[in-house]
Amino acid sequence: MSTGYQIKEQDALHYVTFQIVKWIDIFTRQVYRDIVIDSLRFCQQNKGLEVYAFVVMSNHIHLLLRSFPGKLSDTIKEFKSFTAKQILETIQTEPESRRDWMLNLFEFSAKQHKRNSKYQVWTHENHAEIIYSDKFIEQKINYIHENPVQAGIVEKAEDYLYSSARNYADLSTVLEVIPIILPAKRMSLMRSVR
């Protein structure tokens, strides 16, 4: 079933959201967040993925990215497949108090779609939106960085470790990104409007 969020221009800059099925809050644990970060880093180094902004929330990820070889859909598919396998393996081999609950939900979700195997970790949708203007870039970067603030996790966006807000604030970070220079006046205005 198509959601209307298809990636048609494979080499264009896109805003995407990857969501865990049933909104399971798996990324409240560092081990699973690190799987995502390590996989993004691998895609940067080996798949030509360019990441401009990101945030890893408790049950979803927002990214501003593009594919240098023009294969964004393929890279996303490989990323989601690999991270799903790593997450499932970690759930089954590491101490995890919610193991049975999560595996049951992942198995239930898989049964809802013919193209799944035993478990489904990510939803099939990517909610990809092509970036068509500087204003849209600013809005999406601001939204990505302000997500942990809006969720009440941190007071300032740059305090959240699993976000590129730290890159943009010249702080230590878990993942390098390609920063986009934005007019500071408009960015601060956007924060006050929210």
Side-chain angles (χ1 to χ4, degrees):
M1 179 167 103
S2 175
T3 62
Y5 290 102
Q6 296 176 355
I7 299 174
K8 294 180 180 162
E9 295 182 39
Q10 292 293 317
D11 59 349
L13 184 63
H14 280 79
Y15 166 78
V16 297
T17 300
F18 306 150
Q19 173 189 323
I20 298 294
V21 295
K22 306 295 182 194
W23 292 98
I24 299 170
D25 61 343
I26 194 163
F27 300 126
T28 55
R29 302 206 200 285
Q30 180 178 347
V31 65
Y32 305 119
R33 290 190 307 261
D34 288 343
I35 289 170
V36 166
I37 295 300
D38 291 342
S39 297
L40 285 171
R41 190 176 299 114
F42 177 86
C43 290
Q44 287 174 314
Q45 295 168 352
N46 299 285
K47 301 287 183 182
L49 186 68
E50 296 178 350
V51 179
Y52 297 88
F54 76 93
V55 67
V56 180
M57 297 300 290
S58 65
N59 51 24
H60 64 283
I61 302 165
H62 296 296
L63 298 144
L64 188 63
L65 48 72
R66 76 179 188 120
S67 172
F68 184 67
K71 297 181 179 181
L72 188 55
S73 292
D74 291 345
T75 302
I76 288 172
K77 181 180 177 183
E78 291 171 16
F79 168 83
K80 288 172 81 174
S81 176
F82 179 79
T83 53
K85 288 175 189 169
Q86 291 295 114
I87 288 167
L88 288 167
E89 182 179 312
T90 303
I91 289 171
Q92 294 170 343
T93 59
E94 298 291 321
E96 175 53 71
S97 61
R98 305 180 306 163
R99 175 182 295 128
D100 292 340
W101 173 74
M102 286 193 293
L103 291 176
N104 284 338
L105 286 175
F106 291 148
E107 187 172 13
F108 175 79
S109 296
K111 290 178 181 175
Q112 308 306 306
H113 300 279
K114 294 178 183 177
R115 62 178 160 171
N116 289 332
S117 56
K118 183 170 182 175
Y119 297 111
Q120 179 182 349
V121 174
W122 299 102
T123 63
H124 292 297
E125 299 81 19
N126 299 317
H127 299 282
E129 297 178 61
I130 193 165
I131 302 299
Y132 52 82
S133 71
D134 288 346
K135 185 177 178 181
F136 197 35
I137 290 172
E138 290 180 36
Q139 189 262 331
K140 290 305 183 184
I141 290 176
N142 188 52
Y143 180 81
I144 289 168
H145 291 169
E146 290 295 316
N147 231 240
V149 176
Q150 295 299 313
I153 299 169
V154 293
E155 188 174 320
K156 295 185 292 186
E158 60 269 19
D159 291 339
Y160 190 66
L161 186 60
Y162 287 84
S163 167
S164 58
R166 297 183 61 80
N167 303 72
Y168 283 78
D170 289 326
L171 298 171
S172 63
T173 182
V174 295
L175 181 72
E176 292 300 321
V177 301
I178 301 168
I180 296 175
I181 307 302
L182 300 170
K185 186 176 180 182
R186 282 204 284 177
M187 283 300 287
S188 61
L189 177 63
M190 289 177 69
R191 283 192 177 147
S192 65
V193 171
R194 290 189 60 150

